[in-house]
Amino acid sequence: MLGTMNFGPHTPEPQAHRILSTAVDLGLTLVDTANVYGWRPGGGWTEQIIGRWLRNNRRTHDRVLIATKVYRPLDDWPNSGGLSALSLRKSCERSLRNLGVETIDVLYLHHIDRTTPIEETLSALHSLRSRGLVRHFGYSNFAGWHLARAQETARTLGIQGGVVEQCLYNAMVREAERDVLPACAAYRLGTLAWSPLNRGLLAGFTDAGPRRRDPRTATTHSRHRRALERFWAICAEAGAHPEQVALSWVIRRATGAVIGPRTEAQLLSAVAALDLSADRALTETVDNAIDTVFPAPRPWTLPLRNSTEPASGRPIGGVR
């Protein structure tokens, strides 16, 4: 899946359009965006860039699936943002205008809304689907129990539930293995990993792009420098590029990964991970080594009654 969060702020529109065209030529036909991407007041900057590309490429229009997300407020009005029926309707209609399409193929709930009843959110989504404005909906950044509650509520209401969860997941950040991935398997939800390179850290820390100047990225790199260097050494010994190893690791555990290239070169490099995944002997050797560097999280456990020891584990993190 082609992620587009860089389009606008870091990737100029002409270059973004070339990346979109190249991605389609390579067989990537699911484009992922969000109404807030671009981070301009009023939102929709990245959606509009994609919309203009769609209008200029009518022949490819039917070959591309569009996924966008709703949640964050786009203005200062009290009813802006969140997952209320009003906010969903307005956000969906605005995204349709920005993208220049009649139907959004997958509308993601970008984050859990703790102030709106899930029944209201699901009923509003059902209404959007009935009107033909949305084909399917999915979840993003939901905990496992949030997924279970939403899917069970949809079943109770007699309406279609979500079809996919998009979560933070990569070789370094594996908390999704505790409850998110099992919940997706139980409810037959697809799983798409965002930040499969953990903000580019797993690809190597040599690129001087904007992500490397981000304080959070620099802090994470400093904190995990030794583990990252061990990971890079594993890749060098296997004769494979770290970026392709990390992407291959993810796409063999999830339904797919969202790659967010800033340049065409990054896109081409990421797609090469598919070839690496086909080499079973290599991937098995690398996977075993990766598990020693970035171990899988321990299962959740509850402390014994009257025990002073805290429960193991930590909550799922990550904000996008």
Side-chain angles (χ1 to χ4, degrees), residues 83-154:
L83 302 178
S84 68
L86 177 62
S87 177
L88 281 172
R89 177 176 60 80
K90 287 188 172 183
S91 296
C92 180
E93 291 173 349
R94 187 181 325 203
S95 290
L96 288 166
R97 290 194 300 271
N98 289 337
L99 294 163
V101 297
E102 295 179 354
T103 304
I104 294 169
D105 294 293
V106 182
L107 182 68
Y108 282 98
L109 308 179
H110 207 163
H111 295 277
I112 189 71
D113 183 349
R114 293 177 173 82
T115 62
T116 301
I118 190 64
E119 293 83 358
E120 177 181 344
T121 298
L122 294 175
S123 296
L125 288 168
H126 179 68
S127 175
L128 293 173
R129 289 187 66 250
S130 299
R131 294 170 56 193
L133 304 181
V134 172
R135 199 161 273 121
H136 300 286
F137 78 89
Y139 311 101
S140 182
N141 303 306
F142 276 44
W145 76 271
H146 290 140
L147 295 171
R149 184 181 65 169
Q151 292 295 89
E152 290 298 332
T153 301

Side-chain angles (χ1 to χ4, degrees), residues 50 71 75 79 83-84 92 119 124 132 138 160 167 197 217 281 283:
I50 297 169
Y71 174 79
D75 52 48
N79 290 321
L83 302 178
S84 68
C92 180
E119 293 83 358
Q160 180 178 318
C167 59
L197 300 177
T217 306
T283 54

Side-chain angles (χ1 to χ4, degrees), residues 28 48 77 83 86 147 190 219 236 245 281 284 318:
L28 277 70
Q48 292 165 19
W77 289 97
L83 302 178
L86 177 62
L147 295 171
T219 299
V245 171
E284 183 177 352

Side-chain angles (χ1 to χ4, degrees), residues 239-258:
H241 192 281
E243 174 191 19
Q244 294 164 8
V245 171
L247 286 173
S248 173
W249 185 93
V250 168
I251 61 180
R252 284 180 286 107
R253 287 162 175 77
T255 308
V258 181

Side-chain angles (χ1 to χ4, degrees), residues 255-299:
T255 308
V258 181
I259 56 172
R262 186 168 40 84
T263 65
E264 281 187 90
Q266 290 178 352
L267 170 64
L268 295 171
S269 179
V271 171
L274 296 173
D275 296 329
L276 181 64
S277 297
D279 189 337
R280 293 187 177 181
L282 174 62
T283 54
E284 183 177 352
T285 300
V286 170
D287 286 354
N288 291 335
I290 288 175
D291 283 339
T292 66
V293 180
F294 304 118
R298 291 181 296 170

Side-chain angles (χ1 to χ4, degrees), residues 10-91:
H10 305 303
T11 303
E13 185 165 336
Q15 187 175 349
H17 286 184
R18 288 195 297 271
I19 290 174
L20 284 161
S21 297
T22 301
V24 172
D25 291 340
L26 291 171
L28 277 70
T29 55
L30 182 54
V31 177
D32 178 82
T33 188
N35 61 352
V36 74
Y37 287 176
W39 317 106
R40 277 181 174 176
W45 185 12
T46 302
E47 287 182 332
Q48 292 165 19
I49 290 174
I50 297 169
R52 285 188 283 271
W53 175 80
L54 288 171
R55 286 193 291 275
N56 292 332
N57 294 269
R58 295 290 183 182
R59 291 184 179 180
T60 16
H61 192 293
D62 293 336
R63 296 168 53 193
V64 176
L65 300 177
I66 301 295
T68 191
K69 308 180 191 74
V70 295
Y71 174 79
R72 293 184 184 274
L74 300 180
D75 52 48
D76 296 329
W77 289 97
N79 290 321
S80 179
L83 302 178
S84 68
L86 177 62
S87 177
L88 281 172
R89 177 176 60 80
K90 287 188 172 183
S91 296

